[in-house]
Amino acid sequence: MKKTIFVVALSIAGFVAVWRFDPTPAASGSTATSAPQVSMAPSTSAGSGALTTQGSAESTEFGTVQVQVSFSGSRITDVTLVQQPDSGRGVDAIPLLREEALQAQSADIDTVSGATQTSESYIKSLQAALDAKGS
């Protein structure tokens, strides 16, 4: 009976270890901090009312996130990436964040579970692009 309990406990421990495994590479010695490098030069098309702004470049442990926002009047028409993360769960979160931004028409969007760093960097860059439009 004791042997059975021991085998079951080890099996559960092994299952949990496999379930929590993240195949992304470990950060190299330092933690990534958000150091915004703002490049917010609005550009307009002649007479069309269209405007494009870039948000700040936000660094994460998985890569840099920077968005470019296109406007038609006051409406957000598109959000594209100038820089995107190389790896991690955040890569899959980018399309979800884009859709939420287009629906919300603001940077007031939810983070994607499992991609918190990328989501927060996306939101910061998006807010910087929206702020650049206002100036």
Side-chain angles (χ1 to χ4, degrees):
M1 180 68 177
K2 289 182 183 181
K3 196 175 201 179
T4 304
I5 293 173
F6 181 71
V7 169
V8 170
L10 281 178
S11 297
I12 291 172
F15 174 75
V16 169
V18 170
W19 179 56
R20 295 194 39 102
F21 177 73
D22 187 4
T24 58
S28 58
S30 65
T31 57
T33 57
S34 178
Q37 301 168 350
V38 180
S39 169
M40 299 184 282
S43 62
T44 59
S45 301
S48 69
L51 174 72
T52 303
T53 61
Q54 282 189 0
S56 56
E58 300 291 333
S59 180
T60 72
E61 125 181 38
F62 303 108
T64 304
V65 177
Q66 183 178 19
V67 300
Q68 177 175 302
V69 181
S70 300
F71 299 92
S72 178
S74 62
R75 183 160 178 74
I76 299 173
T77 57
D78 197 14
V79 181
T80 56
L81 287 173
V82 177
Q83 297 182 56
Q84 70 182 41
D86 310 4
S87 62
R89 296 177 183 160
V91 174
D92 297 331
I94 297 295
L96 299 171
L97 294 166
R98 179 185 178 274
E99 285 303 314
E100 278 200 46
L102 290 172
Q103 286 178 1
Q105 291 292 303
S106 73
D108 187 22
I109 59 176
D110 292 330
T111 59
V112 175
S113 178
T116 306
Q117 287 183 13
T118 301
S119 297
E120 289 173 350
S121 295
Y122 187 95
I123 292 167
K124 285 180 186 176
S125 184
L126 178 60
Q127 186 61 56
L130 296 174
D131 292 345
K133 180 191 181 284
S135 57

